[in-house]
Amino acid sequence: MPTAKISALGCFVPPGILTNDDLSKMVETNDAWIVERTGIRERHIATKEIATSDMAVAAAREALGQRGIEASELDAIIVCTVTPDMLFPSTACLVQNRLGAVGAWGFDLVAACSGFLYGLTTGAHLVSAGTHRKVLVIGADTMSRIIDYTDRGTCILFGDGAGAFLIEPSENPAEGFIGHISEIDGSGAQFLNMPAGGSRLPASAETVAKRLHYVKQEGQQVFKFAVRKMYELCDNLLKKHGLKPSDVKLLIPHQANKRIISATAERLGLPPEKVVLNLDKYGNTTAATIPLATRDAIADGRLKKGDLVLFAAVGAGYTAGASLWRWAY
Ligand code: UT7
């Protein structure tokens, strides 16, 4: 059985920026509250011509360019998103066509903020099964399209962006994918969701008037679950592989709230220099946070070949997961 490794990475964020001060002109909030309660200072927002597949394609092209391969060499494309261009066809199909990834198959994966992590796990298993040699996992979300900019509890949190990892077999069994723990708990569905637009509540004048096509969240409920689960899964995963938190070079968590990340790091006993935080610049980009944070860690010289890296995420569903990798480039 081959080991799966991450061999390239690409990212895209739209250039437009929405700052905390901008938001304070739209809803009753202020920079000091947002920074203290979330750690977020600004987020990138796509102009109306840009949809999720556009950002996904840009991130994918960067990853393919970095690895120096053609899209036609891809075996599969997984697009992790809760903001597909449309409900069907899948965004993976649109991306495959735009890239010219002839012969690839693929699908969209809906796991909200844990989406990229679940995509990584799926991609790693496709490769380590020996049936796929090049799997592109893309996390892309245009959250600004489903955010209610009159709701100060949610509009301060989210931004737009995309990131992609290429997963391939490794010649070296000591590098690449080590293992994961993933869990879903649908009892949390009521606390974070977008109520309308599906088969339960199809679009109607009423759903629009009631603003049901936007993200609804009970922030404190999600916060409490995230703080507990992120630590629990990281700790369990390390123990499962006979590792200690001190063995980890970097924790790259989903970027939802600085306080969730700090609480997780503290309980694991990880010092701040071992934890990647970049939500001040991007906010919560849902499926794109982990690749964006990984890119920044590489750019800052904090993530190098051979490092043990722990990814972790919690999100709507509830969905949650942790994934351990030995960085391979
Ligand atoms: O990726 C997974 C998805 N989501 C998350 O992980 C988010 C998890 N939750 C959170 O990050 C936090 O719950 C929030 C950042 C959403 C909210 O922070 P909080 O510390 O839980 O605030 P709260 O909802 O308990 O509200 C505290 C106070 C309230 O006022 P009162 O009732 O104490 O007078 C709110 O009305 O802060 C008020 N408030 C605000 N004030 C200024 C809520 N939002 C704002 C705001 N600006 N934007």
Side-chain angles (χ1 to χ4, degrees):
M1 288 288 181
T3 310
K5 67 173 181 181
I6 297 160
S7 59
L9 181 164
C11 286
F12 175 84
V13 286
I17 287 177
L18 183 69
T19 65
N20 290 349
D21 285 338
D22 295 333
L23 283 164
S24 71
K25 293 176 192 122
M26 298 156 69
V27 288
E28 203 185 323
T29 191
N30 58 75
D31 177 61
W33 192 95
I34 302 172
V35 172
E36 193 203 314
R37 305 308 292 166
T38 71
I40 300 166
R41 292 180 186 277
E42 58 189 36
R43 55 300 283 137
H44 289 250
I45 302 291
T47 50
K48 67 177 190 323
E49 323 72 62
I50 298 179
T52 296
S53 68
D54 302 312
M55 298 196 296
V57 164
R61 286 197 175 123
E62 190 173 282
L64 295 173
Q66 193 183 94
R67 179 69 177 78
I69 61 164
E70 298 297 326
S72 55
E73 294 175 57
L74 292 174
D75 297 314
I77 300 169
I78 304 172
V79 178
C80 314
T81 186
V82 290
T83 51
D85 286 25
M86 49 192 125
L87 265 182
F88 70 91
S90 69
T91 303
C93 290
L94 306 177
V95 170
Q96 177 273 340
N97 187 46
R98 290 265 300 281
L99 290 176
V102 180
W105 73 296
F107 50 89
D108 287 5
L109 190 158
V110 184
C113 295
S114 310
F116 192 78
L117 214 54
Y118 286 14
L120 267 188
T121 298
T122 308
H125 284 96
L126 290 177
V127 167
S128 53
T131 52
H132 295 68
R133 293 194 61 81
K134 288 183 172 55
V135 178
L136 194 62
V137 178
I138 306 172
D141 270 304
T142 322
M143 293 306 291
S144 60
R145 297 292 144 73
I146 58 166
I147 291 300
D148 182 352
Y149 286 95
T150 66
D151 174 7
R152 69 176 182 172
T154 51
C155 73
I156 58 161
L157 299 173
F158 294 94
D160 301 335
F165 281 3
L166 182 66
I167 306 184
E168 296 187 72
S170 172
E171 307 306 319
N172 177 0
E175 66 184 14
F177 183 58
I178 297 169
H180 78 106
I181 298 185
S182 307
E183 279 180 15
I184 58 172
D185 176 359
S187 69
Q190 58 188 311
F191 301 123
L192 180 50
N193 56 47
M194 190 173 83
S199 59
R200 178 72 58 195
L201 213 50
S204 67
E206 194 188 348
T207 60
V208 172
K210 288 185 171 166
R211 308 182 79 79
L212 298 180
H213 296 274
Y214 292 122
V215 171
K216 307 287 177 196
Q217 174 173 254
E218 285 189 35
Q220 282 194 14
Q221 293 285 348
V222 181
F223 186 92
K224 280 188 256 170
F225 181 83
V227 164
R228 178 167 65 80
K229 229 356 136 182
M230 206 181 258
Y231 164 73
E232 187 186 299
L233 294 188
C234 288
D235 191 49
N236 288 348
L237 181 60
L238 289 168
K239 283 184 181 139
K240 187 174 152 188
H241 292 279
L243 293 160
K244 301 182 297 299
S246 56
D247 296 321
V248 172
K249 174 70 191 305
L250 268 190
L251 168 66
I252 305 186
H254 168 57
Q255 310 278 311
N257 186 316
K258 188 181 169 187
R259 291 183 293 138
I260 297 173
I261 296 170
S262 305
T264 304
E266 239 167 67
R267 288 184 73 187
L268 288 168
L270 291 176
E273 61 271 18
K274 285 193 165 188
V275 183
V276 181
L277 260 182
N278 70 350
L279 83 176
D280 55 324
K281 293 184 289 183
Y282 305 111
N284 181 350
T285 53
T286 304
T289 59
I290 285 179
L292 284 170
T294 306
R295 178 193 64 175
D296 284 4
I298 293 170
D300 295 345
R302 297 172 71 191
L303 178 58
K304 298 201 174 70
K305 189 174 167 64
D307 288 344
L308 186 67
V309 53
L310 176 59
F311 299 110
V314 175
Y318 295 123
T319 56
S323 183
L324 259 177
W325 295 70
R326 182 76 61 187
W327 198 252
Y329 74 89

